[in-house]
Amino acid sequence: MPVATISNLTVKYGRKTAVEDLTVDVPDGCIGLLGPNGAGKTTLIKTLLGFLKPARGGGELLGLNVASEGLRIRQRIGLMPEIDCHIPGMNAVTFVAYAGELSGMPRSQAMRRAHETLEYCGLGEARYRNVETYSTGMKQKVKLAQAMVHGPKLLFLDEPTNGLDPAGRDEMLELIRDISHAKGVNVIVSSHLLPDIERTCDHVIVMRHGRIATEGEVAALRKTKGVQMDVELRFPQEIEAFVKSMVLRQAELVSTSGTRCRVSLMENGADPGSVLFDAARESGAQIRGFQSAQRSLEDVFLEAVE
Amino acid sequence: MSEEVIRPPESAPTGQSPIADFTYRTYDGPLYTRRIRWWIVALAGIRLSMKKKGFWVLAGLAVLPYVITVVQLYLQSRASTLTGGQTPNPLNMPLPGQQYSSQFFQAFVFQAFFLFILTLLAGTGTIASDNQANALQVYLSKPITKGDYLAGKMMGVAIVIFAVAFVPALSLYAYCLLSFVNEGFFKNEPWLIVRIIAACSVPALVFSALIVGFSAWSKTPRMAGAIFAGFYFMSGIVAGIYWGVRYRGNLGQGNLERHFSVDGVIQGLVQNAYGVTQRMMTGNPRTGALEQVSMPPPNAWVMLALGLGLVALGLMAARARIRAVEVVRG
């Protein structure tokens, strides 16, 4: 069942159209929202949260109308904003419990959940410290905790790894993956860091000029056209002869890098492994490994927005 | 209280969790969509104010005028004994039907400055600190509206000011009730408790609305406090100079113009609430002699309009500044 259903959505700022005739079903799971600056991601999320009224069309988020049920939507979702934000003068427990209360939780439940959520986010030891004294990584975690304290059905994470060192980034991505894959919370991640999306999301939506440029399962989008194989040889010098043998077998060279090369084979039903080994035997090259080629998410993104 | 409650299914556990369980679990408890969502914001503001030492110092100082009034009332009640039958100072003699109201009003006039300082302490950071810490992103991503946020911030300050003004006044009322009920306390001024509530509400509403307005337009609490204090004092100085220059021959006149400042509006409204006529001594420029002039309450409707105008100004300024959350950059 889709988390959000958007149909023919048009959102305007005065005369400027930010989102135009957008139709998409956002599936459940972990979704990556990608797009260059000005693509309409902000506007789309603002509209989904009920801050902007659509000029035309509309949609539903968690079964609620985005145009008229903004408050109820915001009760069921959690938002982790991009920039540093906290309630001044509060320690982490008070802050997260307060966020729970603002979401409608009874005070006692909010306090209990604040402790649990902070513990889960790895801030158990520091929860009585004032948030102003936190490092960037801890602030990111407390933002995540305040977004999920009330048990939202959907989390919007905006640049969740912003400003984090490699270890902190790793921890955050693990948390996101755990939330979405082990805890059953739907997550929409907006990030410019494609490796982050690649690591956490199952599905991506790429926007461009207020429209959907491409969308789908990450695995499906990364599949290459035709039969393409990545081959690793023993020495770089072997590549030239190997490619010549492959060309004789009606294959094409796609790219090379060091001892690796990607070749596109003809779709004639022949076993790719046999073709590769035949070519290697003929050229005297030694194959160290091979696998079906996959495009990176960056390739998918660039192809969609160019 | 609740508009809508999302309740868990009958079988879902809602009880206490085992302490050792650190795993995040789905929350199955109730979620309320409250009609008075602003109350949560207000309560947080009140708690933050009460955590400050300055709050308790100012609350203590704000009691002093009422303590002095208790002593004064006590001495007046014993005046015939203490002065051996001589009449007390005529300046302290209130007009008929104002014996206690005038005491409450005088105490308020002295207390007003502490309320102003308290406003600076409790109010300057209300929205300015949120601006500094980008807290609006947190607030407006929750199920509350701009109006809820603003009302909560304002009431968080207003309730603090009201409580500090009202508690000592109520204590004085209780003292009078215990001491002077046989001397016509109820009979002469039956609506005094209502007047006290109205009088204490005036500085609470005017100060809180103004400080919220100034705070919303500032990035730091210090800046908000400086601008608010500047506005408060400058309006008083300008109104005072205008009154002094225009009516220097007879300071008993120009009673309305004298109140064209933040402090003046508050005092004018409180004077109307208590319904007392002030007496003050002025020098007669022709004869050089001291004269006693009576200052009745300024026109209530004009004062009310000015008071509401200040409240509206503060709230509109704040509302114009508070914007919905910026979700994603780019």
Side-chain angles (χ1 to χ4, degrees):
Chain A
M1 184 190 166
V3 171
T5 310
I6 301 160
S7 48
N8 308 110
L9 181 75
T10 300
V11 186
K12 292 184 176 185
Y13 294 108
R15 283 183 178 178
K16 189 181 180 326
T17 304
V19 172
E20 192 172 8
D21 202 26
L22 188 141
T23 301
V24 66
D25 281 349
V26 182
D28 55 6
C30 192
I31 319 299
L33 186 59
L34 300 169
N37 292 345
K41 306 188 300 286
T42 309
T43 307
L44 176 62
I45 295 180
K46 274 184 177 177
T47 311
L48 290 177
L49 294 182
F51 293 131
L52 293 172
K53 296 270 179 237
R56 210 170 41 247
E60 286 189 346
L61 187 73
L62 300 171
L64 300 166
N65 191 313
V66 296
S68 58
E69 296 179 287
L71 283 178
R72 294 177 70 193
I73 285 173
R74 296 207 290 278
Q75 189 160 45
R76 287 159 175 81
I77 62 101
L79 171 72
M80 177 186 174
E82 178 188 0
I83 54 172
D84 267 356
C85 56
H86 60 270
I87 311 285
M90 289 185 181
N91 62 33
V93 174
T94 318
F95 170 41
V96 175
Y98 182 44
E101 278 191 82
L102 287 172
S103 298
M105 297 174 83
R107 187 165 164 68
S108 58
Q109 298 263 20
M111 187 52 83
R112 181 176 66 82
R113 286 278 300 184
H115 285 279
E116 283 179 11
T117 313
L118 285 166
E119 196 70 58
Y120 174 70
C121 291
L123 290 172
E125 296 295 315
R127 61 185 186 263
Y128 292 109
R129 264 174 58 190
N130 197 313
V131 179
E132 276 114 337
T133 67
Y134 275 16
S135 66
T136 308
M138 293 164 92
K139 279 181 181 167
Q140 289 291 88
K141 285 178 182 173
V142 85
K143 278 191 327 193
L144 178 62
Q146 67 80 27
M148 57 193 285
V149 63
H150 61 292
K153 304 288 174 264
L154 171 65
L155 266 176
F156 284 97
L157 309 181
D158 186 10
E159 302 286 356
T161 54
N162 227 3
L164 297 183
D165 59 23
R169 181 166 163 253
D170 234 37
E171 274 182 56
M172 180 58 77
L173 293 177
E174 275 306 309
L175 268 175
I176 295 169
R177 197 156 174 83
D178 190 60
I179 294 163
S180 58
H181 291 83
K183 308 299 179 199
V185 179
N186 299 301
V187 179
I188 294 180
V189 186
S190 170
S191 176
H192 290 109
L193 298 173
L194 299 177
D196 289 2
I197 298 284
E198 211 159 4
R199 201 166 139 185
T200 52
C201 298
D202 313 310
H203 193 105
V204 289
I205 296 172
V206 184
M207 289 186 71
R208 182 174 180 252
H209 299 322
R211 295 168 181 267
I212 301 291
T214 187
E215 62 118 354
E217 296 281 337
V218 174
L221 290 173
R222 288 180 62 186
K223 272 188 184 163
T224 51
K225 287 171 191 160
V227 183
Q228 292 193 8
M229 303 298 289
D230 282 334
V231 186
E232 186 176 357
L233 302 177
R234 190 176 179 196
F235 300 113
Q237 297 88 331
E238 295 173 342
I239 287 180
E240 196 180 336
F242 176 74
V243 169
K244 272 184 187 167
S245 295
M246 287 300 293
V247 169
L248 291 175
R249 287 166 176 77
Q250 293 169 318
E252 279 178 30
L253 176 70
V254 178
S255 62
T256 60
S257 166
T259 58
R260 292 163 184 267
C261 63
R262 179 173 293 180
V263 286
S264 177
L265 307 182
M266 220 182 129
E267 289 182 84
N268 56 6
D271 174 32
S274 304
V275 176
L276 292 174
F277 281 125
D278 286 349
R281 196 178 304 117
E282 190 181 294
S283 62
Q286 191 180 102
I287 292 177
R288 284 294 176 88
F290 68 91
Q291 62 178 19
S292 291
Q294 280 195 325
R295 294 189 299 167
S296 70
L297 202 54
E298 195 175 339
D299 295 333
V300 176
F301 177 77
L302 289 174
E303 189 181 287
V305 299
E306 273 171 6
Chain B
M1 179 75 178
S2 68
E3 222 167 50
E4 178 200 7
V5 187
I6 303 166
R7 291 206 176 279
E10 287 299 317
S11 58
T14 56
Q16 297 297 305
S17 66
I19 291 168
D21 186 356
F22 294 151
T23 312
Y24 176 83
R25 289 167 298 152
T26 308
Y27 173 69
D28 289 320
L31 282 175
Y32 298 96
T33 307
R34 293 179 175 85
R35 282 209 180 86
I36 49 165
R37 290 179 288 256
W38 58 266
W39 175 242
I40 302 160
V41 182
L43 204 58
I46 294 166
R47 286 198 192 109
L48 281 177
S49 294
M50 289 176 70
K51 268 168 64 179
K52 295 174 183 166
K53 281 180 192 164
F55 166 79
W56 295 104
V57 172
L58 284 166
L61 288 171
V63 174
L64 282 180
Y66 288 89
V67 172
I68 293 166
T69 305
V70 167
V71 173
Q72 197 178 341
L73 280 171
Y74 174 75
L75 293 177
Q76 276 181 8
S77 71
R78 305 271 298 160
S80 56
T81 317
L82 293 170
T83 57
Q86 290 174 14
T87 51
N89 182 347
L91 276 178
N92 289 337
M93 290 295 289
L95 296 174
Q98 297 185 354
Q99 186 177 355
Y100 300 102
S101 296
S102 61
Q103 299 290 354
F104 276 89
F105 178 64
Q106 287 304 329
F108 172 82
V109 170
F110 286 113
Q111 191 198 40
F113 181 70
F114 297 121
L115 298 181
F116 163 70
I117 303 290
L118 181 68
T119 306
L120 289 176
L121 181 95
T124 50
T126 46
I127 300 180
S129 296
D130 285 352
N131 288 340
Q132 206 172 15
N134 298 313
L136 274 174
Q137 300 233 356
V138 176
Y139 279 109
L140 297 182
S141 66
K142 306 294 176 198
I144 63 167
T145 61
K146 268 166 66 169
D148 295 328
Y149 171 78
L150 191 53
K153 288 292 174 184
M154 182 187 157
M155 292 311 288
V157 182
I159 290 169
V160 166
I161 299 171
F162 179 82
V164 170
F166 184 65
V167 169
L170 189 66
S171 305
L172 178 60
Y173 185 82
Y175 169 76
C176 293
L177 196 65
L178 293 171
S179 306
F180 308 117
V181 72
N182 295 328
E183 296 168 32
F185 177 69
F186 264 139
K187 195 178 162 190
N188 294 337
E189 295 171 63
W191 296 103
L192 187 56
I193 187 69
V194 180
R195 290 171 188 270
I196 291 170
I197 293 169
C200 293
S201 304
V202 171
L205 292 174
V206 174
F207 276 148
S208 60
L210 280 177
I211 197 69
V212 161
F214 283 112
S215 188
W217 282 87
S218 307
K219 264 276 185 185
T220 63
R222 206 169 284 184
M223 180 59 74
I227 298 171
F228 173 68
F231 181 66
Y232 177 83
F233 287 120
M234 282 310 294
S235 67
I237 290 167
V238 170
I241 290 172
Y242 174 75
W243 176 59
V245 169
R246 180 149 184 215
Y247 299 102
R248 67 168 179 254
N250 187 355
L251 291 176
Q253 288 184 355
N255 193 26
L256 189 64
E257 289 92 328
R258 192 167 67 93
H259 289 86
F260 284 171
S261 63
V262 177
D263 184 50
V265 168
I266 290 172
Q267 292 215 10
L269 281 168
V270 172
Q271 195 179 348
N272 272 292
Y274 282 123
V276 296
T277 295
Q278 276 187 289
R279 289 171 179 177
M280 59 186 285
M281 299 299 291
T282 64
N284 188 321
R286 277 171 298 195
T287 62
L290 280 174
E291 284 180 357
Q292 183 183 326
V293 293
S294 290
M295 291 286 198
N299 186 301
W301 293 111
V302 176
M303 287 294 108
L304 194 63
L306 285 173
L308 290 175
L310 287 174
V311 171
L313 185 75
L315 290 178
M316 284 194 303
R319 193 171 171 80
R321 190 78 171 111
I322 298 164
R323 296 198 187 100
V325 61
E326 198 69 32
V327 181
V328 185
R329 296 273 170 88

